[in-house]
Amino acid sequence: MSVLRNARKLIVARAIAGNRHFAVRYLPGFSTIAVLCFVLLYAPIVALVIYSFNSGTNIALWEGFSLHWYTVAWENELVQEVTFRSLIVASMAAVTSTMLATMAALGTTRTGDYRGRMLIYATINQPLMVPEIVTGVALLIFFAIVKAFTGYHGLAYLIAAHTAFCIPFAYLPIRARLEGMDSSLETAAQDLYATPVKTFWRITLPLMWPGILAGFMLAFVISLDDVVITELVKSAGQDTLPTYMLGQLRRGITPEVNAISSALLGISILLVSLFFVLRNR
Amino acid sequence: MLSVSNVYQSCKLSDPVCSRQIAVEIQCATKVFESRTSSVTALDNVSLEIQQNEFFTLLGPSGCGKTTLLRLIAGFEHPSDGQIRLYGEDITFWPPYQRPVNTVFQNYALFPHMTVRQNISFGLEMLKRSKAEISKTVAEVLNLVRMEELAERRVSDISGGQQQRVALARALAPQPKVLLLDESLSALDYKLRQDMQIELKRLQHETGITFVFVTHDQEEALTMSDRMAVMNVGKILQVGTPGEIYNFPKQRFVAEFIGDSNFLEGYVVARSSSRAKVELSPTYCADLPADDAVQPGTRVSVAVRPEQATLTSATTAAALQGRVSNMVYFGTHTHYVIKLENGDLFTVHQQNLSGHEIEYEPGHAVGVTLNQSTMQILKD
């Protein structure tokens, strides 16, 4: 009882002392719960990474350290092929969606207040709310119709699908950047004889560039990791890295998948860190 | 120095008629801001002439329309009605990038991704001046604002006062016909602000550019302007030199906004062609200049500056009678608050001349003598 009372006194004292926020960390059990959450979140991933260095073929039995499975994965031509395809799809989708998102962000922040603006925000962000499986099925049906008419079966469908669901991810950081930018800078440029086009190239674009890069990287990572929509939209022989791995897992698990997953994880961490660095610049 | 408007300067010196040329002319400008839910009239049928080479100030409380007027001249806004002329040319609907007018923004609006030098040369680059001319002009302007040493710094790495100078330099570099300053000194601390006031006057003198300065600080307006306009709720109330505005306010708002004033209520008892007799107390009538609106039998307000009244010992010869209710000693002068016989309070700033003792203690009966030549009948 007395411990609880003391804790409460402490909270009250902190609040009175002018803490700007109510400090949750003084509640009993806070640290325990926090540590438990982090263990739950990261223990499986840590295990995955550790077992990617396992020398044996059993994914549950540690037989010693080796880079064997990384070599196997690296030399597997199928892995090379699907990795290359993943990178093509991700970069094409990221470039296209970032360009579209940039235009959308300019259109929604650099125009006056107009009727239906909230509707436009909602429409752009809608893919975030719609379940991925619904988007996937919709695209599957739509592309089936297009395929029937055109006879084209190439990679463009996959790129188009990835572009579509990457747009909101690219849009959010770009819009945030534009909204944080002082619009009087553009006014000042016009005052100094810059036409609207010149103002865009000399002032708006250089200043929003970190936002565009961040949007690009986020879109790239999202596209690289996608399984559900890719699985539904891809034609035969169009596996990307994640769908290939899924296929492998169905046949039986080897630490090769661990190695590929770890590598993918490394790339994602790298890109997301870059995203944060750029966003805070 | 800047070769800027040498044309105008030389013509000012040689030709007195030309020297009165009008730089900016606002004709009946009205600006209504309409949104989906409301409409606000920021400017209401405003007309104004600003002469070349003038340091002209727009003074008024926030929301009076002074910044809107500035933005109309800069081209950031277009009037709902009326015309704006620059040296006779109708520029009402010209975009800002075509007007030979530059602005020093309240928050400076320096380009954060550029150095001091790049900021200053931006306008000249947009005007497609030659490289040689740009570097020459930038060097001149840097010298003018004493920022040569910091030319290669990023604008985020210099102090507020230095940013202010860069903003000025950037606006001066393209040698505009009119320089607009939007509350440009209000972000600076007191000492820096006083330095910049002197600096601005020097720059205006050296460049010969017409300055239009927006401020809500009456002291700044009085000390810096050649002429000024006092604005309130979208209207210009009075235009004149600082002396005219301070000494002869035409409206109660002007008298109240600039300096301290006492307001006396009085009856108009008689009037002649250009003057009126106003009864201010049972024993005192003032003979004041009046326009046609002042009719016998009506009530009017009369403004008296506290330093234009003197205290005397209580005699019937004085204009007003009362008792000292409060006094504050300031060294060079003393502020007295007098409670008049009708109960109103009246402030007197009495100069403390050669070793005078403080003569009037609180509670003393005193007389107040008024300097009739500086009293004004006001329009409400």
Side-chain angles (χ1 to χ4, degrees):
Chain A
M1 271 316 278
S2 79
V3 174
L4 193 67
R5 207 176 301 136
N6 279 341
R8 229 182 237 165
K9 261 188 202 162
L10 199 65
I11 292 165
V12 172
R14 291 269 170 179
I16 291 169
N19 267 5
R20 271 181 301 169
H21 309 289
F22 168 65
V24 178
R25 66 197 172 105
Y26 297 109
L27 289 175
F30 172 78
S31 319
T32 322
I33 294 171
V35 169
L36 210 67
C37 285
F38 278 109
V39 168
L40 269 172
L41 274 173
Y42 286 102
I45 294 175
V46 170
L48 173 108
V49 174
I50 289 174
Y51 274 89
S52 71
F53 296 106
N54 192 357
S55 61
T57 50
N58 193 313
I59 62 151
L61 210 67
W62 182 257
E63 290 173 36
F65 178 86
S66 119
L67 290 175
H68 173 68
W69 293 110
Y70 283 91
T71 327
V72 169
W74 184 255
E75 282 168 359
N76 183 338
E77 278 176 21
L78 252 176
V79 173
Q80 286 175 13
E81 187 199 313
V82 295
T83 308
F84 184 65
R85 189 176 294 117
S86 264
L87 291 177
I88 295 262
V89 171
S91 39
M92 296 285 278
V95 167
T96 320
S97 61
T98 306
M99 286 198 309
L100 293 171
T102 303
M103 290 192 272
L106 283 168
T108 48
T109 58
R110 287 300 182 271
T111 46
D113 191 18
Y114 51 86
R115 196 176 274 275
R117 189 160 150 153
M118 287 319 289
L119 195 70
I120 288 173
Y121 282 152
T123 312
I124 293 170
N125 290 327
Q126 167 269 346
L128 293 175
M129 322 297 176
V130 176
E132 222 181 324
I133 189 77
V134 175
T135 312
V137 170
L139 287 170
L140 173 70
I141 295 165
F142 177 70
F143 286 151
I145 298 167
V146 178
K147 276 176 193 168
F149 274 99
T150 60
Y152 173 72
H153 285 78
L155 209 55
Y157 296 110
L158 210 50
I159 295 169
H162 279 227
T163 303
F165 71 75
C166 282
I167 286 174
F169 291 98
Y171 172 77
L172 288 176
I174 299 173
R175 187 186 130 196
R177 177 81 192 177
L178 272 172
E179 279 182 344
M181 258 166 65
D182 182 0
S183 66
S184 73
L185 296 175
E186 284 144 336
T187 312
Q190 298 218 9
D191 187 59
L192 292 161
Y193 314 103
T195 58
V197 174
K198 273 259 162 60
T199 304
F200 176 75
W201 288 109
R202 293 288 305 267
I203 306 298
T204 315
L205 193 62
L207 287 174
M208 72 190 289
W209 194 242
I212 293 176
L213 277 184
F216 172 82
M217 257 172 275
L218 205 57
F220 188 85
V221 170
I222 296 289
S223 164
L224 204 61
D225 289 352
D226 182 72
V227 174
V228 178
I229 291 174
T230 312
E231 192 67 50
L232 287 167
V233 170
K234 73 180 169 72
S235 306
Q238 287 188 348
D239 264 321
T240 61
L241 194 54
T243 58
Y244 166 78
M245 283 160 68
L246 196 66
Q248 289 296 305
L249 290 174
R250 286 203 190 104
R251 259 175 259 160
I253 309 167
T254 66
E256 187 185 356
V257 173
N258 284 23
I260 298 169
S261 301
S262 303
L264 209 52
L265 180 73
I267 294 169
S268 295
I269 290 176
L270 195 76
L271 288 177
V272 171
S273 321
L274 261 173
F275 160 75
F276 276 107
V277 167
L278 285 171
R279 203 183 63 170
N280 294 330
R281 201 168 71 176
Chain B
M1 276 303 129
L2 279 177
S3 55
V4 202
S5 31
N6 275 346
V7 189
Y8 304 117
Q9 253 180 343
S10 57
C11 105
K12 181 193 182 185
L13 295 173
S14 59
D15 183 358
V17 177
C18 173
S19 78
R20 297 177 62 85
Q21 196 174 347
I22 292 158
V24 182
E25 190 179 358
I26 318 283
Q27 288 177 334
C28 310
T30 295
K31 177 67 187 175
V32 183
F33 287 104
E34 298 207 45
S35 72
R36 266 182 273 147
T37 47
S38 64
S39 94
V40 178
T41 306
L43 281 178
D44 187 3
N45 199 16
V46 164
S47 294
L48 182 66
E49 288 179 354
I50 298 168
Q51 287 158 18
Q52 73 168 42
N53 295 348
E54 205 171 24
F55 196 115
F56 193 93
T57 301
L58 299 169
L59 173 71
S62 61
C64 74
K66 55 191 192 301
T67 296
T68 305
L69 187 52
L70 200 77
R71 290 174 69 84
L72 289 186
I73 301 172
F76 307 144
E77 309 280 356
H78 300 301
S80 317
D81 199 12
Q83 252 191 9
I84 294 158
R85 293 173 172 275
L86 187 72
Y87 286 99
E89 197 163 12
D90 183 356
I91 59 162
T92 314
F93 294 104
W94 289 21
Y97 52 86
Q98 283 177 1
R99 302 185 184 203
V101 170
N102 291 134
T103 310
V104 180
F105 291 84
Q106 184 170 14
N107 61 355
Y108 314 145
L110 297 177
F111 305 131
H113 57 304
M114 299 184 188
T115 62
V116 168
R117 181 185 300 282
Q118 287 167 335
N119 263 279
I120 297 175
S121 50
F122 185 85
L124 295 164
E125 281 172 41
M126 293 299 120
L127 288 170
K128 299 196 170 65
R129 298 285 161 78
S130 72
K131 280 230 165 68
E133 192 191 337
I134 291 175
S135 72
K136 182 170 162 284
T137 312
V138 171
E140 277 176 4
V141 181
L142 278 169
N143 174 275
L144 202 63
V145 298
R146 304 191 183 110
M147 288 285 294
E148 293 103 323
E149 275 115 70
L150 300 174
E152 310 309 330
R153 289 273 197 97
R154 289 208 149 228
V155 292
S156 50
D157 297 339
I158 58 177
S159 73
Q162 290 164 341
Q163 289 182 357
Q164 164 81 71
R165 284 161 192 275
V166 176
L168 252 172
R170 186 179 70 174
L172 284 170
Q175 303 166 2
K177 287 187 174 164
V178 177
L179 184 77
L180 307 174
L181 300 110
D182 183 10
E183 304 250 8
S184 304
L185 302 184
S186 57
L188 301 178
D189 62 51
Y190 185 72
K191 182 72 186 70
L192 212 51
R193 195 162 159 167
Q194 288 198 315
D195 292 347
M196 279 311 291
Q197 288 179 1
I198 296 165
E199 189 86 4
L200 274 183
K201 284 297 279 185
R202 179 180 69 85
L203 285 172
Q204 197 245 340
H205 184 77
E206 285 179 12
T207 58
I209 294 173
T210 307
F211 278 34
V212 181
F213 184 76
V214 158
T215 184
H216 61 266
D217 183 332
Q218 46 121 342
E219 203 181 317
E220 210 163 77
L222 290 176
T223 53
M224 298 177 73
S225 322
D226 293 324
R227 284 195 314 145
M228 57 197 274
V230 182
M231 297 184 68
N232 193 29
V233 288
K235 289 198 156 108
I236 291 182
L237 304 182
Q238 194 172 349
V239 180
T241 63
E244 285 166 4
I245 301 273
Y246 185 81
N247 290 317
F248 306 108
K250 290 211 167 65
Q251 300 196 20
R252 189 176 181 122
F253 180 85
V254 178
E256 267 177 326
F257 193 72
I258 294 156
D260 297 321
S261 274
N262 293 296
F263 299 100
L264 297 170
E265 294 282 306
Y267 270 114
V268 181
V269 290
R271 67 161 298 152
S272 61
S273 59
S274 66
R275 302 181 78 80
K277 272 197 171 13
V278 182
E279 189 187 85
L280 293 171
S281 76
T283 56
Y284 181 68
C285 259
D287 185 23
L288 301 172
D291 62 21
D292 295 341
V294 179
Q295 288 304 318
T298 56
R299 277 186 94 79
V300 290
S301 289
V302 174
V304 185
R305 295 287 184 194
E307 68 274 15
Q308 300 292 357
T310 36
L311 293 185
T312 61
S313 45
T315 61
T316 47
L320 307 165
Q321 313 291 329
R323 279 181 189 281
V324 177
S325 82
N326 195 3
M327 59 157 286
V328 184
Y329 180 69
F330 277 90
T332 58
H333 60 285
T334 305
H335 289 191
Y336 290 96
V337 179
I338 311 299
K339 187 160 196 165
L340 298 178
E341 281 174 331
N342 65 4
D344 289 347
L345 296 178
F346 191 96
T347 311
V348 175
H349 296 174
Q350 184 106 322
Q351 284 261 308
N352 294 325
L353 299 168
S354 58
H356 268 212
E357 296 283 312
I358 298 167
E359 290 170 89
Y360 311 102
E361 297 288 339
H364 278 195
V366 288
V368 181
T369 312
L370 305 174
N371 179 358
Q372 228 180 75
S373 65
T374 60
M375 287 160 62
Q376 280 283 310
I377 297 180
L378 299 174
K379 281 179 235 160
D380 274 311

